[in-house]
């Protein structure tokens, strides 16, 4: 892929290189990154290189920059003063993750053509579907813990399909986008999916996730085949090795989504009501010719844990993490190793 140049021009050397390193870790972005901390070198380079996008700090910005015919110029604002209302501004003093989100959102909105992103690795993306017909059984806690543990070794994406996930309050953060926006941009501009995804992905303890919906009606009307199409595109254009789907009855065509999963995990319990629900669910699958889902489902009866971590960032410690490491990982990773040369 012929990458275009993203230039960072900032007199604060440590800041510029730290930002470059963070962006450079994101594989599959359309940019080759150049850093300039010296004015003469910056202007010399612009005479021989075509820069597609420029991040220029407020402290080194001059009007001359606008004569360089750079298609996209973004000012890294330091004082909050608007140097040129015609240019896009990003607050310099925020997390590198937020800066990248704003860059990619701006670039994909403004650029008519972006280079096609293609997966560089040979491994397929493994889809893990997690669903149970019984409530309050630690499904989401299990899913997040499994995802964070996988993310320590594999590039992993987590998607939550609950009607009321509570993520904003739990993480004390207001999200600008959610999975309904991801689907919207996928339907409107599939070729930009990989780059738009970079503007939406959040991270908790190494695990990437697209925030769940705040208003579940925003997913109304999205059919199972559309989600499956999205997952297939993610496999083609992203570097994710695992995709974890934390599913609920809210999503349309749930069984079609489960059918596309390589691994299916169902959390169960020993009490009579839970077992009756599981039995009804499994019989319904067989009756509706979805019995193959039962065949590929592993049921986990979680033990009673004395204490669970209070925060998402702590889920890889404690009894549940130890259980997943001892019980779930051998099953999952053994099957993953056996399937390296195969396809779903």
């Amino acid at each position: 892929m012929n990458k275009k140049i993203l230039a960072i021009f900032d007199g604060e050397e440590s800041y510029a290189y730290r930002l470059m390193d963070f962006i450079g870790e994101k594989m599959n972005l359309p940019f080759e990154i150049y850093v300039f901390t010296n004015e003469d070198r910056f202007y010399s380079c612009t005479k021989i290189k075509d820069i597609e996008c420029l991040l220029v700090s407020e402290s080194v910005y001059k009007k001359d920059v606008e004569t360089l015919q750079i298609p996209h110029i973004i000012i890294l604002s330091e004082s909050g003063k608007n140097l040129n209302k015609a240019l896009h501004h990003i607050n310099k003093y925020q997390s590198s993750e937020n800066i990248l989100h704003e860059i990619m959102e701006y670039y994909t909105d403004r650029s008519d053509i972006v280079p096609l992103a293609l997966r560089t690795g040979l491994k397929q993306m493994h889809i893990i579907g997690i669903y149970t017909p019984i409530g309050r059984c630690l499904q989401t806690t299990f899913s997040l813990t499994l995802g964070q543990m996988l993310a320590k070794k594999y590039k992993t994406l987590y998607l939550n399909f609950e009607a009321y996930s509570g993520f904003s309050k739990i993480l004390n953060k207001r999200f600008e986008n959610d999975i309904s926006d991801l689907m919207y941009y996928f339907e409107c501009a599939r070729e930009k999916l990989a780059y738009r995804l970079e503007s939406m992905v959040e991270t908790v303890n190494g695990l990437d996730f697209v925030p769940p919906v705040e208003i579940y009606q925003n997913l109304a009307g999205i059919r199972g085949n559309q989600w499956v199409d999205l997952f297939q595109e993610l496999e083609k254009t992203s570097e994710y090795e695992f995709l974890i789907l934390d599913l609920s009855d809210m999503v349309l065509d749930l069984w079609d989504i489960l059918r596309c999963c390589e691994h299916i995990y169902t959390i169960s319990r020993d009490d009579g009501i839970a077992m009756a629900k599981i039995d009804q669910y499994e019989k319904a699958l067989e009756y509706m010719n979805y019995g193959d889902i039962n065949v590929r489902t592993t049921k986990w009866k979680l033990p009673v844990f004395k204490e669970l971590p209070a925060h998402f960032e702590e889920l890889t410690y404690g009894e549940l993490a130890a259980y997943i490491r001892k019980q779930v990982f051998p099953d999952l990773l053994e099957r993953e190793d056996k399937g390296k040369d195969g396809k779903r």
Side-chain angles (χ1 to χ4, degrees):
M1 180 170 67
N2 294 321
K3 293 190 174 184
K4 299 181 179 181
I5 295 175
L6 167 67
I8 303 170
F9 181 21
D10 192 319
E12 192 177 341
E13 185 172 325
S14 61
Y15 175 92
Y17 281 99
R18 188 167 63 249
L19 182 58
M20 179 195 75
D21 289 342
F22 179 83
I23 298 175
E25 289 175 356
K26 302 293 183 178
M27 300 176 289
N28 233 21
L29 287 183
F31 299 120
E32 182 179 358
I33 307 167
Y34 285 33
V35 167
F36 301 95
T37 58
N38 177 278
E39 183 176 312
D40 291 337
R41 289 185 178 179
F42 169 70
Y43 284 103
S44 296
C45 182
T46 59
K47 295 177 182 178
I48 58 174
K49 296 285 187 179
D50 292 327
I51 295 174
E52 172 75 3
C53 185
L54 171 66
L55 301 180
V56 54
S57 69
E58 180 183 314
S59 57
V60 298
Y61 167 82
K62 293 181 179 179
K63 290 289 290 183
D64 293 349
V65 168
E66 297 171 44
T67 66
L68 298 175
Q69 297 183 327
I70 297 173
H72 306 285
I73 299 175
I74 300 172
I75 294 179
L76 293 169
S77 180
E78 297 165 328
S79 68
K81 295 179 180 178
N82 201 331
L83 299 175
N84 184 337
K85 292 182 179 180
L87 298 179
H88 189 69
H89 288 64
I90 291 178
N91 178 14
K92 176 179 175 179
Y93 300 113
Q94 60 178 322
S95 69
S96 297
E97 183 177 40
N98 286 346
I99 289 175
L100 179 59
H101 283 189
E102 293 193 41
I103 293 170
M104 296 312 300
E105 183 174 8
Y106 167 82
Y107 182 67
T108 52
D109 282 345
R110 299 294 182 90
S111 180
D112 293 330
I113 300 175
V114 297
L116 180 64
L118 292 173
R119 193 177 190 86
T120 58
L122 297 177
K123 289 185 178 181
Q124 69 184 91
M125 182 179 74
H126 302 282
I127 303 179
I128 303 175
I130 303 175
Y131 168 76
T132 181
I134 60 178
R136 300 192 63 81
C137 60
L138 301 181
Q139 176 177 308
T140 291
T141 305
F142 175 90
S143 302
L144 284 167
T145 305
L146 176 62
Q148 289 183 24
M149 294 175 72
L150 282 171
K152 292 182 181 297
K153 185 177 179 180
Y154 306 94
K155 191 166 174 59
T156 304
L157 179 67
Y158 167 86
L159 298 179
N160 181 293
F161 290 85
E162 290 181 285
Y164 303 104
S165 69
F167 270 40
S168 293
K169 187 172 182 63
I170 293 169
L171 294 173
N172 193 29
K173 184 172 183 179
R174 180 179 178 273
F175 301 115
E176 297 296 329
N177 297 284
D178 61 42
I179 57 172
S180 66
D181 298 302
L182 179 64
M183 178 58 78
Y184 171 79
Y185 288 116
F186 170 62
E187 296 285 348
C188 292
R190 178 180 299 225
E191 71 281 0
K192 296 183 180 181
L193 176 66
Y195 310 129
R196 175 59 71 173
L197 182 64
E198 287 293 346
S199 74
M200 303 173 70
V201 163
E202 304 283 342
T203 303
V204 57
N205 198 20
L207 175 65
D208 286 354
F209 69 96
V210 177
V213 289
E214 281 292 313
I215 302 174
Y216 75 85
Q217 286 87 347
N218 288 342
L219 296 185
I222 301 177
R223 308 298 311 200
N225 65 299
Q226 292 173 274
W227 290 115
V228 173
D229 198 16
L230 170 64
F231 305 152
Q232 291 173 344
E233 193 68 19
L234 285 173
E235 179 171 28
K236 285 191 286 186
T237 62
S238 79
E239 299 297 326
Y240 288 110
E241 297 169 87
F242 282 91
L243 173 64
I244 294 182
L245 307 178
D246 188 356
L247 296 160
S248 76
D249 291 310
M250 186 205 71
V251 65
L252 290 177
D253 304 323
L254 170 65
W255 296 351
D256 291 323
I257 296 173
L258 284 171
R259 180 170 267 171
C260 86
C261 298
E262 185 176 351
H263 307 291
I264 303 166
Y265 292 149
T266 291
I267 311 299
S268 64
R269 294 200 303 259
D270 283 327
D271 66 88
I273 293 177
M275 293 174 67
K277 289 184 177 183
I278 293 285
D279 182 67
Q280 181 182 352
Y281 162 65
E282 291 177 340
K283 287 180 177 177
L285 289 173
E286 294 289 346
Y287 181 79
M288 298 300 292
N289 295 318
Y290 284 85
D292 55 301
I293 292 175
N294 285 329
V295 174
R296 287 184 289 116
T297 294
T298 303
K299 287 183 283 189
W300 296 104
K301 292 182 180 179
L302 302 181
V304 176
F305 300 113
K306 293 180 181 179
E307 187 176 1
L308 292 170
H311 305 288
F312 281 176
E313 297 85 351
E314 301 169 350
L315 288 174
T316 52
Y317 306 96
E319 296 175 282
L320 177 57
Y323 176 86
I324 290 175
R325 190 176 294 110
K326 182 179 180 180
Q327 302 292 336
V328 181
F329 267 14
D331 170 76
L332 173 63
L333 299 182
E334 181 183 356
R335 283 196 276 169
E336 192 269 338
D337 288 337
K338 287 181 179 178
K340 280 183 178 178
D341 298 324
K343 284 289 180 182
R344 289 189 296 278

